Amino acid sequence: MRISDRLDARVEFLRPWQDDAACSREDTALFFPPDAERKGPRFRREARAKAVCRRCPVISECLAHALRVEEPSGIWGALTEEERTQLLSHP
């Protein structure tokens, strides 16, 4: 089996929508918390990241991906990991 065959079978690796993502032109640090981030700075960083997400043409695809693979960290589709966990736990 070729490696490309295995990748084709893993839909979570296929993310062509990311080429059009608004976050692709931003510093990734905006979307992922640094170690030991304090509450105030985290709130401000998350607000800035979510503002980028809200103007993104592929926000729906991003959120669908994050929910499907249960992304463990970062802001995806304008939701934090805590917000995604809440959404997944309330069907």
Side-chain angles (χ1 to χ4, degrees):
M1 176 181 275
R2 298 180 330 228
I3 192 164
S4 62
D5 293 335
R6 284 186 279 153
L7 289 177
D8 288 342
R10 304 284 310 268
V11 70
E12 64 267 23
F13 292 121
L14 303 174
R15 298 181 282 189
W17 51 266
Q18 282 187 323
D19 293 339
D20 298 322
C23 64
S24 67
R25 296 174 289 286
E26 301 287 336
D27 183 352
T28 57
L30 181 60
F31 300 90
F32 295 92
D35 293 335
E37 184 177 35
R38 297 181 67 142
K39 192 174 186 176
R42 182 178 183 133
F43 179 78
R44 289 187 293 278
R45 179 187 53 76
E46 287 176 348
R48 289 192 315 274
K50 288 178 177 187
V52 172
C53 293
R54 284 191 293 276
R55 72 172 197 269
C56 184
V58 294
I59 188 173
S60 297
E61 292 90 338
C62 179
L63 181 56
H65 161 77
L67 294 172
R68 183 176 62 250
V69 301
E70 297 184 27
E71 281 289 348
S73 65
I75 294 180
W76 293 78
L79 295 181
T80 65
E81 54 271 19
E82 292 89 5
E83 292 165 336
R84 291 190 307 275
T85 298
Q86 280 186 324
L87 190 61
L88 288 170
S89 67
H90 294 92

